[in-house]
């Protein structure tokens, strides 16, 4: 009996000691996760895990492959150099359709993966209804859409939501400044697609025009699928310039109807202009009369980082990269840099690092989080030739409304 | 005055396209009793097929358009075989849901085949303008109206003067009795789906050059076509065509002078008014049934 008691005590002690030993090993491993090598490289205890919420080609009618192709190239580039923190980067893609209910399911699936960061939701129609879930998610989400109305002011600061796209209202204000300062227009007509993108764009442009002493000659709206904008275009006949925040199809209709009606006003739009001209629906005088904007110009950028990216992307995917591919690429790189800076794959530490990180990427030589956690602060003005080639006029900065900065231009 | 003429021309062209879509609805409805909610995506597919034949196969516009419209006829027949024939005899609601499913499949297939970037459909008159009393009218819109009037006249002739038309009217009146009299209702429903898809293809080919071709091209037209079919009483061929033109002119002319911001809602306001006041449709005789 005594022997049995002694044996039991010895066994119990052995179990306790073994458990302590495991715990110590675990602590050692955890400490090891954040240690730096002699060369300054961070060694992480586990791989950097990223979830991409975007659709690949064919996953829905609206799916475009550019986001996945851009992010995949970034992961391949990182892993070719040994990954991050001594581990290969692990990216999981979950399709996030435009339908908000299904996008919500995709977002919840992404949270379940417990990644260090999520990249995705390319449409503001997805982001706006999901904003409360993103804010409570506990994982930094780098949004691929300019969802300006979803996260504003104090709510945005310190939250889990970051945006890789420049502020929509900021771009719209800069387009209005460009039209008034560079094109010397005073009487302005506004055409806005009937959705938050068009309305916020026109509101911001109207404010700039009025602040600068210009005159809003007419303001009109149209449906996203409109194929006839006769009334809207005729209302612009005495304008010096028409600022148009529209989708590519109606933008093409406006551009052509302005010419057909002999209206000589200059025509300025956002990123849709490049898509409309590239489709071939806007050409000749309608194209030379058009000014556009793009978030990113990786194929025109002369920096070696952009040239290398463009060449590698085209070689891998068979088409030239656009802003969507480049911003997805930059998003992966930003999360990798934030992880290195945080010396951890813990979501909260990665988010904190993203808030203070400065990074030279493809689309912005100086990515940094602003008062609403928008990371990207520049875009490009474009012109087009009669045959549809685009030309970058100049780069411009999209200021942070929370900072006392003004618009500056760069070459 | 130039503004009125420009708006009237726009409204007439828009109405013509809506009338083509409504005719497509009506043909299938008469032959099968089903409302085909894939009509909008058939319009889009027709435009994409024309882009493919002209821009990718390198055909000039006339054979390119003709090939696209012929292909649409075949696609319509296939649609009948896949989404209607296996469900014949089932509730109309089941068939309607099947047409919605077919629309989603078509939309996804277009996305995989052509991508989501807008495409451009060439036209020999795309950039030409006709000046009428100081108004600039795009020649493409004139072409739309002329082609639609010719097609409507042709369809009316087929309906009123040919054996196929008589059979179609017999099926619309009483499908089972028509079958007992030897009308081949299955062939007729295949022909109706094929012709309806060809009309949708024609609509896509006509509106494609006005802007760019994207996946939403046909959706708004389909809604307008549905409203026009209700205005016309969903049985009266002339009524449906008149309904289409009325909707286009109302949206462009009334919406061009008043209620500009909400002008896209005007056709549907008109539709609701007709349902409330004259549920049998504008040109249909007899007492209407309240919905």
């Amino acid at each position: 009996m005594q022997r049995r008691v002694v044996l039991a005590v010895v066994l119990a002690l052995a179990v306790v000691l073994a458990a302590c030993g495991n715990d110590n090993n675990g602590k050692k491993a955890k400490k090891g996760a954040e240690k730096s090598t002699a060369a300054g490289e961070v060694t992480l205890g586990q791989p950097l895990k990223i979830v991409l919420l975007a659709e690949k080609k064919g996953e829905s009618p609206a799916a475009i492959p550019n986001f996945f192709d851009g992010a995949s190239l970034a992961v391949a580039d990182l892993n070719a150099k040994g990954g991050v923190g001594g581990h290969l980067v692990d990216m999981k893609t979950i399709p996030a359709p435009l339908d908000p209910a299904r996008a919500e399911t995709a977002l919840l699936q992404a949270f379940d993966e417990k990644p260090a960061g999520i990249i995705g939701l390319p449409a503001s129609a997805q982001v706006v209804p999901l904003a409360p879930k993103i804010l409570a998610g506990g994982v930094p989400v780098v949004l691929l859409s300019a969802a300006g109305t979803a996260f504003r002011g104090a709510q945005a600061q310190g939250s889990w939501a970051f945006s890789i796209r420049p502020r929509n209202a900021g771009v719209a204000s800069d387009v209005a400044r460009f039209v008034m300062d560079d094109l010397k227009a005073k009487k302005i007509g506004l055409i806005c697609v009937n959705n938050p993108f068009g309305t916020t764009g026109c509101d911001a442009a109207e404010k700039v025009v009025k602040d600068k002493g210009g005159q809003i000659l007419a303001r009109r709206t149209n449906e996203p699928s409109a194929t006839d904008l006769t009334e809207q275009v005729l209302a612009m006949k005495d304008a010096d310039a028409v600022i148009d925040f529209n989708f590519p199809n109606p933008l093409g209709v406006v551009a052509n109807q302005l010419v057909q009606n002999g209206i000589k006003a200059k025509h300025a739009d956002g990123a849709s202009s490049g898509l409309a001209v590239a489709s071939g629906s806007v050409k000749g005088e309608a194209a030379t009369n058009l000014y556009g904007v793009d978030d990113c110009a990786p194929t025109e950028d002369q920096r070696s980082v952009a040239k290398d990216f463009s060449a590698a992307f085209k070689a891998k995917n068979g088409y030239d990269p656009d802003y969507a591919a480049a911003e997805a690429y930059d998003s992966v790189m930003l999360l990798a840099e934030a992880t290195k800076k945080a010396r951890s794959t813990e979501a909260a530490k990665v988010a904190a690092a993203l808030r203070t990180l400065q990074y030279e990427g493809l689309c912005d030589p100086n990515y940094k989080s602003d008062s609403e956690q928008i990371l990207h602060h520049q875009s490009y003005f474009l012109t087009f030739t009669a045959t549809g080639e685009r030309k970058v006029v100049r780069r411009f900065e999209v200021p942070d409304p929370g900072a006392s900065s003004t618009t500056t231009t760069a070459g | 005055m130039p503004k009125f003429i420009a708006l009237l021309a726009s409204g007439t062209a828009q109405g013509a396209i809506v009338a083509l879509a409504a005719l497509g609805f009506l043909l299938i409805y008469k032959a099968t009793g089903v409302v085909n909610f894939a009509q909008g995506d058939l319009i889009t597919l027709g435009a994409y097929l024309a882009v493919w034949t002209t821009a990718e196969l390198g055909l000039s516009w006339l054979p390119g358009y003709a090939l696209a419209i012929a292909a649409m006829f075949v696609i319509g027949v296939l649609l009948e075989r896949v989404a209607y024939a296996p469900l014949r005899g089932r509730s109309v609601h089941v068939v309607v849901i099947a047409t919605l499913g077919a629309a989603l499949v078509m939309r996804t297939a277009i996305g995989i085949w052509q991508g989501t970037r807008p495409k451009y459909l060439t036209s020999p008159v795309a950039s030409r303008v006709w000046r009428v009393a100081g108004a600039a009218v795009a020649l493409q819109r004139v072409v739309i109206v002329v082609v639609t009037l010719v097609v409507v006249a042709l369809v009316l002739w087929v309906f009123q003067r040919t054996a196929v038309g008589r059979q179609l009217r017999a099926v619309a009146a009483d499908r089972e009795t028509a079958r007992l009299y030897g009308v081949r209702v299955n062939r007729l429903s295949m022909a109706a789906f094929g012709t309806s898809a060809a009309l949708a293809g024609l609509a896509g080919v006509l509106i494609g050059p006005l802007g760019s071709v994207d996946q939403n091209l046909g959706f708004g037209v389909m809604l307008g076509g549905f409203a026009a079919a209700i205005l016309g009483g969903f049985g009266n061929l002339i009524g449906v065509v008149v309904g289409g033109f009325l909707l286009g002119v109302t949206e462009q002319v009334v919406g061009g002078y008043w209620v500009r911001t909400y002008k896209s809602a005007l056709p549907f306001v008109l539709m609701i008014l007709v349902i409330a006041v004259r549920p049998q449709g504008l040109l249909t005789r007899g007492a209407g049934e309240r919905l």
Side-chain angles (χ1 to χ4, degrees):
Chain A
M1 180 69 190
Q2 230 176 358
R3 258 192 204 171
R4 278 185 190 169
V5 171
V6 171
L7 192 62
V9 170
V10 168
L11 274 172
L13 273 172
V15 169
V16 170
L17 283 172
C20 290
N22 280 345
D23 191 30
N24 286 340
N25 288 343
K27 279 177 187 165
K28 276 177 197 164
K30 201 170 180 185
K31 277 179 187 168
E34 292 167 14
K35 87 177 175 199
S36 297
T37 62
E41 281 289 310
V42 179
T43 306
L44 300 169
Q46 55 185 345
L48 165 60
K49 186 174 187 179
I50 295 169
V51 174
L52 176 69
L53 282 175
E55 292 178 305
K56 289 181 251 179
K57 189 173 180 180
E59 286 180 338
S60 89
I64 60 169
N66 310 42
F67 301 110
F68 174 77
D69 291 343
S72 298
L73 183 60
V75 172
D77 284 354
L78 286 168
N79 288 345
K81 293 175 185 163
V84 174
H87 302 275
L88 297 182
V89 176
D90 173 19
M91 186 177 82
K92 177 167 184 172
T93 306
I94 298 175
L98 285 177
D99 166 27
R102 289 161 68 201
E104 181 181 354
T105 306
L107 179 66
L108 296 177
Q109 268 181 280
F111 287 143
D112 285 347
E113 293 288 330
K114 303 200 183 329
I118 296 170
I119 297 166
L121 302 174
S124 54
Q126 298 168 312
V127 175
V128 173
L130 294 181
K133 294 226 161 29
I134 293 169
L135 292 172
V139 178
V141 182
V142 180
L143 300 164
L144 293 172
S145 61
T149 51
F151 307 100
R152 281 239 169 107
Q155 187 197 32
Q157 190 61 46
S159 79
W160 296 103
F162 298 82
S163 177
I164 195 74
R165 296 207 63 188
R167 183 176 280 100
N168 181 33
V171 172
S173 302
D174 280 329
V175 170
R177 286 188 197 99
F178 175 76
V179 162
M180 296 199 71
D181 297 341
D182 291 39
L183 304 182
K184 310 291 179 204
K186 293 286 173 213
K187 290 185 284 182
I188 310 292
L190 294 171
I191 300 180
C192 341
V193 66
N194 199 5
N195 76 0
F197 155 69
T199 309
T200 54
C202 277
D203 287 348
E206 184 170 345
K207 183 175 184 309
V208 169
V209 170
K210 286 179 177 167
D211 287 350
K212 282 183 156 289
Q215 180 194 351
I216 299 293
L217 201 73
R219 178 171 169 161
R220 295 287 187 272
T221 58
N222 64 268
E223 291 307 307
S225 58
T227 56
D228 189 329
L229 294 159
T230 302
E231 191 281 322
Q232 289 89 333
V233 166
L234 290 178
M236 306 292 146
K237 77 175 173 170
D238 295 322
D240 299 328
V242 176
I243 301 177
D244 183 6
F245 294 105
N246 233 319
F247 289 169
N249 198 350
L251 163 73
V253 177
V254 172
N256 288 316
Q257 287 200 300
L258 282 171
V259 173
Q260 286 167 354
N261 285 282
I263 297 170
K264 298 293 179 194
K266 296 291 180 191
H267 183 201
D269 192 284
S272 293
S273 54
L275 295 171
V277 173
S279 78
S281 68
V282 179
K283 52 191 171 191
E285 194 184 341
T288 56
N289 192 41
L290 182 64
Y291 296 81
V293 170
D294 206 344
D295 285 12
C296 191
T299 50
E300 287 97 344
D301 196 328
Q302 294 305 307
R303 289 175 302 145
S304 62
V305 62
K307 282 182 169 178
D308 292 348
F309 164 77
S310 297
F313 187 92
K314 185 152 190 185
K316 188 178 177 194
N317 301 300
Y319 65 99
D320 282 321
D322 62 356
Y323 79 89
E327 284 175 346
Y329 183 96
D330 280 348
S331 300
V332 172
M333 292 301 187
L334 277 162
L335 281 177
E337 287 300 314
T339 306
K340 286 185 207 166
K341 187 175 181 183
R343 296 173 173 267
S344 170
T345 54
E346 230 176 276
K349 289 181 180 170
V350 173
L354 263 181
R355 288 184 199 109
T356 56
L357 187 71
Q358 283 191 275
Y359 174 72
E360 181 184 354
L362 293 168
C363 296
D364 194 330
N366 189 22
Y367 276 109
K368 60 180 179 184
S369 178
D370 71 11
S371 65
E372 290 175 349
Q373 299 198 159
I374 287 173
L375 302 163
H376 184 178
H377 302 97
Q378 70 158 37
S379 286
Y380 294 86
F381 288 124
L382 309 171
T383 54
F384 305 93
T385 66
T387 51
E389 285 86 34
R390 71 180 211 169
K391 189 181 163 200
V392 172
V393 179
R394 63 179 167 85
R395 185 158 55 87
F396 65 94
E397 299 213 354
V398 185
D400 173 9
S404 56
S405 61
T406 54
T407 300
T408 55
T409 58
Chain B
M1 190 64 178
K3 181 180 175 180
F4 176 76
I5 291 169
L7 292 175
L8 187 64
S10 290
T12 310
Q14 186 181 329
I17 291 294
V18 167
L20 278 181
L23 265 185
F25 269 128
L26 192 66
L27 273 178
I28 293 180
Y29 182 74
K30 274 187 174 290
T32 65
V34 168
V35 177
N36 175 23
F37 278 102
Q39 198 71 11
D41 289 281
L42 286 169
I43 291 170
T44 308
L45 183 59
Y48 271 105
L49 277 171
V51 169
W52 176 65
T53 56
T54 53
E56 294 180 33
L57 294 186
L59 298 176
S60 69
W61 66 272
L62 191 57
Y65 289 5
L67 183 59
I69 292 167
M72 286 304 298
F73 182 88
V74 176
I75 288 167
V77 172
L78 288 175
L79 182 66
E80 195 272 350
R81 292 287 91 193
V82 173
Y84 173 69
L87 300 172
R88 194 176 290 129
R90 302 278 294 274
S91 157
V92 167
H93 302 112
V94 175
V95 186
V96 168
I97 297 294
T99 65
L100 273 174
L104 290 173
V105 170
M106 248 185 282
R107 198 171 265 232
T108 305
I110 292 170
I112 294 168
W113 174 44
Q114 288 283 320
T116 47
R117 291 291 172 91
K119 304 266 180 176
Y120 175 62
L121 178 58
T122 183
S123 159
V125 296
S127 56
R128 291 169 67 184
V129 173
W130 184 33
R131 303 258 166 216
V132 190
V137 178
L139 214 52
Q140 182 69 26
R141 294 184 204 284
V142 179
V143 169
I144 288 172
V145 176
V146 172
V147 170
T148 302
L149 289 177
V150 170
V151 169
V152 166
L154 193 66
V155 172
L156 274 175
W157 178 77
V158 169
F159 255 70
Q160 306 295 340
R161 306 279 177 194
T162 67
V164 173
R166 279 192 292 276
Q167 289 174 15
L168 203 59
R169 280 185 284 142
V171 170
D174 190 331
R175 188 181 180 86
E176 283 313 308
T177 309
R179 189 199 293 272
L180 290 172
Y181 272 91
V183 174
R184 292 173 165 177
V185 290
N186 292 353
R187 276 197 191 177
L188 213 55
S189 74
M190 279 161 58
F193 265 89
T195 309
S196 172
L199 287 175
L202 177 64
V205 162
L206 289 171
I207 55 168
L210 291 174
S212 46
V213 177
D214 65 21
Q215 290 184 314
N216 296 315
L217 185 74
F219 184 73
V221 180
M222 181 187 74
L223 290 182
F226 190 66
I230 288 176
L231 245 62
F234 240 119
N236 185 320
L237 208 66
I238 296 174
V240 162
V241 174
V242 169
F245 280 102
L246 192 61
L247 287 180
V249 171
T250 303
E251 180 173 341
Q252 291 299 329
V253 178
V254 178
Y257 286 100
W258 305 280
V259 288
R260 288 190 197 99
T261 308
Y262 305 103
K263 72 175 188 173
S264 56
L266 285 177
F268 304 101
V269 171
L270 190 62
M271 181 188 82
I272 291 166
L273 279 175
V274 169
I275 289 172
V277 177
R278 199 175 159 76
Q280 70 269 37
L282 289 176
L283 300 185
T284 306
R285 287 191 212 99
E289 193 182 321
R290 291 260 167 212
L291 296 176

